[in-house]
Amino acid sequence: MHHALIVARMAPGSAPAIADVFAASDSGELPHLVGVSRRSLFQFGDDVYLHLIESERDPAPAIAKLTGHPEFRDVSDRLATYVSAYHPETWRSPRDAMAQCFYRWERDPAS
């Protein structure tokens, strides 16, 4: 299982609206095109947005290819009201919002 964590800023109080955007998108073809098997959205404090994508393969290459896809553009445009880059001065693409995992532990299934 591959995990990608996207970090951004969110407008305070916008969690329900952001969830609605993804609920609509997740009922379409976009998750399948990216390879997403599970999505979790988190809020830290009033304005930190954390978006965990779980997939069988690294979703970053698929996301990079789909940035012009109409459904991807629609989700991005709808989220723009609520979500912004964590570091706008260095953001160039969705990959710039992905946190880097530096440690992972998994329980042995036999335990």
Side-chain angles (χ1 to χ4, degrees):
M1 181 67 63
H2 190 279
H3 300 87
L5 180 63
I6 297 169
V7 181
R9 299 261 179 219
M10 62 188 283
S14 65
I18 294 169
D20 288 346
V21 170
F22 279 106
S25 173
D26 288 339
S27 67
E29 72 173 343
L30 197 55
H32 175 73
L33 294 174
V34 174
V36 174
S37 55
R38 182 176 293 143
R39 176 188 324 280
S40 301
L41 303 174
F42 299 88
Q43 178 177 350
F44 182 74
D46 288 336
D47 68 344
V48 177
Y49 164 89
L50 303 160
H51 178 167
L52 178 63
I53 298 171
E54 298 176 75
S55 59
E56 293 301 319
R57 63 187 186 283
D58 181 358
I63 291 170
K65 289 180 186 175
L66 291 169
T67 57
H69 188 283
E71 284 190 42
F72 188 93
R73 289 287 359 123
D74 181 58
V75 169
S76 295
D77 291 346
R78 292 176 63 203
L79 288 175
T81 303
Y82 313 111
V83 179
S84 60
Y86 190 82
H87 289 295
E89 62 280 355
T90 60
W91 194 92
R92 293 173 311 285
S93 73
R95 186 154 189 85
D96 295 325
M98 291 187 185
Q100 303 303 310
C101 180
F102 60 91
Y103 175 81
R104 179 172 284 139
W105 176 85
E106 210 170 303
R107 186 183 75 211
D108 182 351
S111 300

